[in-house]
Amino acid sequence: MTRDPTIDGGPRLRGEGLSLGYDERTVSTDLTVDIPDGSFTVIVGPNACGKSTLLRALARMLKPSQGTVILDGGPITSLPSKEVARRLGLLPQSSIAPDAITVADLVARGRYPHQGLLRQWSRDDERAVAAAMASTDVTELASRAVDELSGGQRQRVWLAMVLAQETGIVLLDEPTTFLDISHQIEVLDLCADLHEEQGRTMVAVLHDLNHACRYATHLIAMRDGAVVAEGDPSTIVDAELVQRVFGLRCRVIPDPETGTPLVVPAARQRSRDAALPAASAPVPA
């Protein structure tokens, strides 16, 4: 049974004092992050800043050298793997389907955490798979081989598999990588719908800051393994933050479609002029 987060006021998922890294390389030290319940949280930052490393730790794919990931009030390491998978779903950065597997069979694999020696395939499983395929609009692809699909279709199928787990928390590691702009929006619109209509807590690592500002209800900006700022994108994203996190000169204006922050990079000549010593700067006519 999952904890009612209203009992102690804390979020279902958080990292406390995390030190993270690979072999001898440390990525983050003493990192504490809360994932607000019911949010669409997006983690952004430059390459190698620790975004995906943090997500892997929250999903129990990477063991912290120090600190603890808390899920439903207790250490995530204290839970059996299947129990974690019944509470938290993960769509990794790179997913490879078995050869010739159909869409329906791949989505059905999302029900594995609910199977056991005494519980085999059931009507509940059938219902969950059908609902996941319907919500991601892949029902008509059920008999197709996954490796025959377009990139956008494949990503929706993988997301359907995660949704079939029926978890309240879904983690997505760069879900728009390798997709063209149309399919990026398609996948992010779908994630936003799942958040708004089903009340799922969504956590995504994204590279595109404008996408993050448009879709996130809670933004976490990272640099050098640390959280630089977090909160509502409309509150925290400005030119100073973008410069601090990404080293990019820009203007931040309201998105004409959504009113959310829109980052407009400085023109090439303006960036060059800003880098010149004051005495060498062009003199206005």
Side-chain angles (χ1 to χ4, degrees), residues 13-32:
L13 182 63
R14 74 187 312 260
E16 296 180 348
L18 302 176
S19 290
L20 307 171
Y22 304 93
D23 298 326
E24 301 301 317
R25 183 172 69 90
T26 299
V27 177
S28 294
T29 302
D30 196 25
L31 179 62
T32 294

Side-chain angles (χ1 to χ4, degrees), residues 51-137:
K51 305 184 297 294
S52 292
T53 300
L54 171 60
L55 197 77
R56 286 171 55 82
L58 293 176
R60 209 174 75 170
M61 300 292 290
L62 177 68
K63 183 179 179 181
S65 58
Q66 292 184 356
T68 307
V69 173
I70 303 297
L71 178 61
D72 290 327
I76 196 171
T77 52
S78 68
L79 298 170
S81 295
K82 278 193 172 183
E83 182 59 32
V84 172
R86 285 193 286 267
R87 305 184 189 196
L88 182 154
L90 170 67
L91 180 61
Q93 192 173 128
S94 299
S95 302
I96 301 175
D99 289 342
I101 191 171
T102 66
V103 167
D105 287 341
L106 182 63
V107 176
R109 293 193 175 199
R111 298 303 295 168
Y112 170 75
H114 302 274
Q115 306 299 311
L117 292 176
L118 301 179
R119 186 192 182 285
Q120 299 302 313
W121 193 260
S122 69
R123 290 184 178 179
D124 284 343
D125 297 318
E126 200 72 39
R127 174 198 52 76
V129 169
M133 292 176 66
S135 66
T136 53
D137 196 25

Side-chain angles (χ1 to χ4, degrees), residues 211-243:
H211 285 349
C213 289
R214 174 173 283 200
Y215 289 95
T217 63
H218 184 77
L219 189 72
I220 297 175
M222 296 185 65
R223 183 176 180 87
D224 298 329
V227 173
V228 175
E230 61 179 312
D232 187 314
S234 297
T235 301
I236 68 170
V237 176
D238 56 20
E240 181 181 355
L241 179 68
V242 177
Q243 174 75 45

